[in-house]
Amino acid sequence: MDIVKIAFLGIITALLYALVRNIKPEMAPLVILGGCGVLLVTLSGKLTEITESVGNMTELAGLDNENIKILLKALGICIVTQFAADICYDNSCSSVAAAVELSGRVGALILALPMLETVASLGIGLING
């Protein structure tokens, strides 16, 4: 991973934000959104490498791919939610940030429902013998 490039993009974004905030404050959040978007695009290639590696490991271990896919999607929801909430907090929109966080939690829970149903049915089957 080219962490130097990512760190440089972060520093440039922060400096541009500070500059624009003093000149035209209403445009400063757009600088942050643009900079974060560029950072996410830079990371997107690395994220596909991670998912491919996890897929290869699950095949080698003989694990169920569906459960791993659900876990990776839930992790993605958590990352995106935290990222969006942090941007909202940085721009003094704590109520919007809280709503984004709640939406992320609900989304992850909905995604995990099939796994929870499987565990519940397994438990019921063990209890009923």
Side-chain angles (χ1 to χ4, degrees):
M1 178 183 275
D2 195 2
I3 193 66
V4 174
K5 183 166 92 172
I6 291 169
F8 183 70
L9 285 170
I11 292 169
I12 293 296
T13 300
L15 291 174
L16 283 173
Y17 172 76
L19 180 68
V20 171
R21 185 182 62 203
N22 291 332
I23 296 170
K24 201 160 182 158
E26 64 273 7
M27 298 301 284
L30 295 177
V31 171
I32 293 293
L33 287 174
C36 290
V38 170
L39 286 170
L40 284 178
V41 168
T42 303
L43 284 176
S44 66
K46 302 301 177 188
L47 293 175
T48 55
E49 288 179 27
I50 291 170
T51 55
E52 288 173 2
S53 294
V54 169
N56 292 338
M57 287 186 282
T58 56
E59 285 180 23
L60 290 173
L63 298 174
D64 184 18
N65 281 341
E66 279 304 310
N67 291 335
I68 300 299
K69 286 179 184 177
I70 290 171
L71 291 174
L72 286 175
K73 286 179 184 179
L75 180 61
I77 288 172
C78 293
I79 290 170
V80 169
T81 300
Q82 186 64 49
F83 178 74
D86 286 344
I87 288 176
C88 293
Y89 280 126
D90 286 346
N91 289 292
S92 301
C93 295
S94 58
S95 59
V96 175
V100 168
E101 289 174 340
L102 178 63
S103 299
R105 289 181 190 120
V106 169
L109 183 61
I110 289 171
L111 191 63
L113 280 177
M115 289 177 70
L116 294 173
E117 289 173 356
T118 303
V119 169
S121 65
L122 210 120
I124 291 170
L126 288 173
I127 291 171
N128 291 334

